Amino acid sequence: MSKSQTIIAEDVIIDGDVKLDGDITVYGEIKGSLVTSGSVQLAKIGKIHGNVNCSFMEINGLINGDVFVDGSVELLSNCKLIGNIQYRALKIHDGAQFSGRCDIMVE
């Protein structure tokens, strides 16, 4: 069975926690935590006000919360992250803004 792909459109605001098993792309706004066993892509116009826990993440929008990634996380050029990151691999592009602490996960 393949993982599902969820898309939060730019005109959607979710006020509460989001939990899923598949991948998610966020163009809208989540006011709460986001937990998935899949990957998270946060678009340039996307916003998350809460903690994120996932397997892979690309951030190109705004996160105000802590990020826990059981794989790699990529802070793209329009990223604005206010919070801590826990990760296995990290890539930061020119222009990305990050205010917090980085901690690498070890086996």
Side-chain angles (χ1 to χ4, degrees):
M1 181 157 86
S2 65
K3 289 184 181 180
S4 63
Q5 172 66 41
T6 301
I7 297 174
I8 306 298
E10 65 183 282
D11 62 339
V12 175
I13 297 173
I14 297 175
D15 194 1
D17 297 340
V18 176
K19 295 179 184 177
L20 64 150
D21 287 324
D23 300 335
I24 185 169
T25 301
V26 180
Y27 295 95
E29 186 172 356
I30 298 173
K31 296 178 180 179
S33 67
L34 171 58
V35 177
T36 181
S37 58
S39 67
V40 175
Q41 290 184 310
L42 182 62
K44 183 178 179 178
I45 57 175
K47 298 175 185 174
I48 299 174
H49 303 280
N51 297 336
V52 178
N53 193 320
C54 61
S55 63
F56 169 82
M57 187 163 195
E58 286 183 349
I59 305 168
N60 206 24
L62 168 70
I63 295 184
N64 192 348
D66 295 333
V67 175
F68 306 92
V69 182
D70 192 35
S72 66
V73 59
E74 201 166 342
L75 309 183
L76 301 173
S77 61
N78 291 299
C79 166
K80 184 171 183 182
L81 172 59
I82 302 164
N84 302 317
I85 307 174
Q86 196 170 24
Y87 60 91
R88 294 198 189 278
L90 173 66
K91 183 174 184 181
I92 301 176
H93 291 248
D94 288 344
Q97 298 177 38
F98 169 56
S99 177
R101 195 173 96 192
C102 297
D103 291 313
I104 191 164
M105 288 187 217
V106 291
E107 297 286 328

